Amino acid sequence: MKLIFLLFLGIHGVTAVTHSLKYFYTASSGVSGFPEYVSVGLVDDVQISHCDSITKRNVPKQDWMTAATAEDPQYWDRNTQTCVGNQQSFKAGVQILKQRFNQTGGIHLYQEMVGCEWDDETGEVKGFNQYGYDGDDLVVFDLKTTSWVAPKQQGVITKHKWDKNKANTDYWISYLSQICPEWLKKYVAYGKSSLQRTELPSVSLLQKSASSPVSCHATGFYPNGADLFWRRDGDEIHEGVVKGEVLPNNDGTFQMSADLKLSDTPEEWGRYECVFQLSGVKDDLITKLEKRRLRGNGSGSDFPVAAVVGVLVGILVLAGVVAGGVFYWKKGNHGFKRTNTSDTSSSSREDPDSKKEDNEKQTMMGANC
């Protein structure tokens, strides 16, 4: 299992911005000191809300999210009610899945990730709803075929149940293609000054020892739609290059690295350069590979521990928003998939015809397996 939940865009010069709204719901069993249920909302991978079974309150995590109450004074109260109501459904789901997997004890997680992406230039919208258990995909909604897919045998029961529930399917079609994008656009407008800012990173070239790869490390950039790659004689290279994922810093910015395994002599290093591209920024940030720029070269005694610690902190922030509530996720062949399991009927969610369209309500319309 891999602690992960951020999606990122490799842009290679593209300046259009794809915004995203994602909700993560996690029920846990056997995890000491961790809430039995946690829900987290993110806009453009910035946390906007948090609720758990200990605090029993859904609260804003960004100042600009208080704008939601200006339009709807009951917004946070209503979402709190939804959060509290969903705890039992997810908790029951864990027990059902433990039975399906013939488990009696241990640590188990049942998760759901639901949301949408919106390209503010083309207007294209993509919706997703994925469930998983213990880091593996369980059930995924295919918006194109309007049916559920079960990557694991234990999810087939749920697939058949939900495929037969036309009202639930109609709800998800509506939510993922219309309601979710509408809320996403609202949230982007609320946080425009923050979400649509751009911050360039500081870039360092790191090498632990003379035989180690050279790591190009960019940190402090925003938004997370970025790319980092190596060029040789002006051409991008892939052989000998290992690109890392975009990770969050604890100040709301992001970081990433690209490692280059060198076979050339130091005299030829000048042919290489590390290129950083950021969504919405026209000019590339180019760092030439020069021996004098390397930090940590040779014995490794001056290797920048602070940079390594920063990466570890980013991973911890990524992993869990653990205080904010995040979870085991797996990157499968079809993208980032989340685990969620619950065998009570999905009809326990709010009536799809209800006029309530707030964020948390929508995402919970199918949590029961």
Side-chain angles (χ1 to χ4, degrees):
M1 289 184 293
K2 195 173 183 181
L3 284 168
I4 227 169
F5 69 58
L6 290 185
L7 304 179
F8 68 92
L9 302 172
I11 55 173
H12 260 53
V14 176
T15 58
V17 175
T18 298
H19 298 285
S20 64
L21 172 61
K22 289 174 277 189
Y23 289 98
F24 292 81
Y25 302 90
T26 296
S28 62
S29 174
V31 184
S32 177
F34 192 78
E36 288 185 330
Y37 172 78
V38 179
S39 68
V40 175
L42 302 100
V43 170
D44 293 354
D45 293 327
V46 174
Q47 188 180 359
I48 61 168
S49 65
H50 171 81
C51 183
D52 62 54
S53 54
I54 296 176
T55 63
K56 294 181 171 62
R57 289 293 306 172
N58 199 342
V59 296
K61 301 301 289 185
Q62 301 295 326
D63 291 341
W64 46 264
M65 275 300 292
T66 57
T69 56
E71 295 185 12
D72 179 2
Q74 303 303 314
Y75 177 91
W76 291 106
D77 288 339
R78 189 168 59 252
N79 280 285
T80 291
Q81 293 170 13
T82 301
C83 172
V84 173
N86 283 322
Q87 292 176 20
Q88 296 307 312
S89 174
F90 273 85
K91 185 177 179 180
V94 173
Q95 299 308 313
I96 291 170
L97 288 170
K98 286 172 67 175
Q99 293 176 15
R100 285 193 195 172
F101 283 84
N102 296 318
Q103 298 164 337
T104 57
I107 295 175
H108 301 286
L109 295 177
Y110 169 45
Q111 297 179 274
E112 178 184 8
M113 179 180 73
V114 62
C116 56
E117 295 180 346
W118 161 58
D119 187 311
D120 67 2
E121 184 175 88
T122 66
E124 181 183 9
V125 169
K126 296 179 181 178
F128 47 87
N129 187 15
Q130 305 166 335
Y131 294 80
Y133 183 67
D134 287 352
D136 288 323
D137 303 331
L138 185 72
V139 187
V140 178
F141 186 64
D142 187 332
L143 190 55
K144 292 182 179 179
T145 62
T146 65
S147 62
W148 295 89
V149 178
K152 273 191 168 291
Q153 181 62 35
Q154 289 86 347
V156 173
I157 297 174
T158 301
K159 166 191 162 46
H160 290 320
K161 178 186 293 186
W162 290 356
D163 278 343
K164 293 177 181 178
N165 190 336
K166 188 177 185 302
N168 191 50
T169 298
D170 290 344
Y171 169 82
W172 282 119
I173 294 172
S174 174
Y175 176 73
L176 297 176
S177 60
Q178 298 178 24
I179 299 173
C180 180
E182 289 174 3
W183 278 102
L184 172 55
K185 292 172 185 179
K186 281 188 179 183
Y187 296 147
V188 169
Y190 293 161
K192 182 176 181 180
S193 61
S194 175
L195 295 173
Q196 297 187 359
R197 74 186 192 278
T198 56
E199 294 184 24
L200 291 174
S202 60
V203 179
S204 301
L205 298 179
L206 316 174
Q207 188 179 39
K208 188 172 183 179
S209 68
S211 60
S212 300
V214 175
S215 179
C216 182
H217 182 241
T219 185
F221 61 87
Y222 188 92
N224 69 340
D227 198 11
L228 187 68
F229 56 95
W230 283 94
R231 290 197 302 221
R232 183 176 186 269
D233 296 334
D235 296 323
E236 182 178 355
I237 56 177
H238 302 282
E239 185 176 355
V241 176
V242 178
K243 296 174 66 172
E245 297 181 26
V246 176
L247 299 174
N249 291 317
N250 57 6
D251 62 357
T253 62
F254 298 90
Q255 60 178 289
M256 67 187 305
S257 296
D259 296 345
L260 171 65
K261 182 66 175 178
L262 282 170
S263 58
D264 300 64
T265 63
E267 289 73 24
E268 297 180 292
W269 285 6
R271 303 170 68 182
Y272 293 87
E273 58 189 15
C274 177
V275 182
F276 176 85
Q277 296 178 339
L278 185 64
S279 178
V281 176
K282 181 179 179 180
D283 297 327
D284 297 343
L285 189 59
I286 299 174
T287 305
K288 287 191 172 296
L289 177 56
E290 299 173 346
K291 191 170 183 178
R292 64 182 180 83
R293 292 179 180 268
L294 283 179
R295 301 176 62 189
N297 188 35
S299 66
S301 59
D302 61 338
F303 188 66
V305 175
V308 176
V309 171
V311 173
L312 293 177
V313 169
I315 291 173
L316 291 175
V317 172
L318 174 71
V321 166
V322 164
V326 183
F327 334 86
Y328 291 97
W329 216 262
K330 172 183 178 181
K331 188 176 181 180
N333 293 332
H334 302 289
F336 286 80
K337 306 208 172 168
R338 176 203 117 197
T339 58
N340 189 342
T341 55
S342 179
D343 248 281
T344 46
S345 101
S346 77
S347 62
S348 67
R349 299 207 173 162
E350 180 148 336
D351 182 347
D353 292 328
S354 168
K355 71 174 183 176
K356 290 185 175 66
E357 297 179 347
D358 46 335
N359 52 336
E360 209 90 38
K361 287 285 185 190
Q362 292 357 67
T363 48
M364 298 313 301
M365 276 299 297
N368 299 311
C369 296

